Amino acid sequence: DAKTTQPTSMDCAEGRAANLPCNHSTISGNEYVYWYRQIHSQGPQYIIHGLKNNETNEMASLIITEDRKSSTLILPHATLRDTAVYYCIVSVTGTASKLTFGTGTRLQVTL
Amino acid sequence: EAGVAQSPRYKIIEKRQSVAFWCNPISGHATLYWYQQILGQGPKLLIQFQNNGVVDDSQLPKDRFSAERLKGVDSTLKIQPAKLEDSAVYLCASSLDLSTVSTQYFGPGTRLTVL
């Protein structure tokens, strides 16, 4: 699986958009980009994933660059409850899929 | 729909003692995972089951760790004997089947402290 690089920490004001970047310059053509988050004292929670096209769901949007070497997770209106560690993971899908977590980005949402 | 259940939530033991953790996955989920998360790090996969068979246990320290999922539903992870470096949160996760490995549902974890 390709490795990812994320900033160690970020701050965001409540109500503003949180943009979390991820570099995955060695991603293969059949690897997806997944995002999970882990709120303090809880297990990780799936957020979103994508291959090439931008994706949006009720939690977030995922923007993947055309060369697929980087992506950005966007929380459009961050709240205090979005304070968590966000993990960007690249992996194939299907039976060969494996989630390899790095250290992630610690997002602190403030008033 | 009930989530992944784990017990106990916290456990404190002395080194060289044994300990066991229990996990009950989401109903109908065939694939079950155990992860170890050391403070400040991301979760690390220890073992993956598909029903009652092991799919991947390459990162399980087999000299002291064991896991089973005898009836293909709930699972137990055991450490015997425990070492100080085993202090961590042990997370259980499940997914519908091997085709949805990337979408896993995690339990709250068991925090183990080895003194």
Side-chain angles (χ1 to χ4, degrees):
Chain A
D1 291 340
K3 292 185 177 179
T4 63
T5 303
Q6 299 178 253
T8 302
S9 63
M10 295 181 63
D11 292 331
C12 178
E14 190 176 35
R16 303 298 293 269
N19 297 283
L20 292 90
C22 179
N23 286 319
H24 31 80
S25 58
T26 59
I27 192 170
S28 300
N30 62 344
E31 288 181 314
Y32 285 68
V33 180
Y34 295 90
W35 284 84
Y36 278 73
R37 74 178 183 184
Q38 188 171 23
I39 296 171
H40 184 62
S41 296
Q42 297 183 22
Q45 176 191 24
Y46 166 81
I47 300 173
I48 198 168
H49 75 280
L51 181 65
K52 295 181 181 179
N53 300 320
N54 298 336
E55 302 288 345
T56 296
N57 63 19
E58 64 277 5
M59 290 183 68
S61 295
L62 174 60
I63 308 297
I64 302 174
T65 59
E66 191 170 347
D67 63 8
R68 304 212 318 126
K69 293 185 177 181
S70 66
S71 61
T72 301
L73 179 75
I74 300 173
L75 308 178
H77 305 287
T79 70
L80 296 178
R81 287 179 291 183
D82 292 320
T83 293
V85 177
Y86 288 77
Y87 298 98
C88 170
I89 302 167
V90 294
S91 178
V92 297
T93 59
T95 57
S97 181
K98 180 182 289 188
L99 294 183
T100 302
F101 290 83
T103 52
T105 296
R106 182 172 298 279
L107 175 68
Q108 180 69 52
V109 181
T110 57
L111 290 171
Chain B
E1 179 183 82
V4 176
Q6 290 189 247
S7 68
R9 290 296 313 276
Y10 305 92
K11 189 74 177 178
I12 301 174
I13 62 173
E14 302 271 337
K15 60 183 179 183
R16 291 188 289 273
Q17 285 187 323
S18 62
V19 64
F21 313 125
W22 174 83
C23 172
N24 192 30
I26 293 173
S27 178
H29 279 197
T31 313
L32 184 147
Y33 318 80
W34 282 102
Y35 289 83
Q36 179 193 59
Q37 185 171 24
I38 293 172
L39 187 64
Q41 299 180 18
K44 182 184 82 170
L45 179 67
L46 293 176
I47 188 167
Q48 175 183 342
F49 291 94
Q50 174 68 7
N51 296 311
N52 61 351
V54 175
V55 174
D56 181 358
D57 64 356
S58 57
Q59 299 196 82
L60 186 73
K62 299 180 187 64
D63 58 334
R64 298 184 300 106
F65 287 64
S66 64
E68 59 184 18
R69 194 184 183 200
L70 294 176
K71 296 183 179 180
V73 181
D74 57 348
S75 175
T76 302
L77 176 69
K78 296 179 182 178
I79 307 175
Q80 183 180 6
K83 293 185 176 181
L84 296 177
E85 58 260 36
D86 298 332
S87 293
V89 175
Y90 290 86
L91 295 159
C92 179
S94 69
S95 62
L96 192 58
D97 53 41
L98 285 177
S99 68
T100 59
V101 167
S102 52
T103 308
Q104 299 180 18
Y105 297 85
F106 285 78
T110 297
R111 182 177 298 276
L112 173 67
T113 301
V114 182
L115 303 175

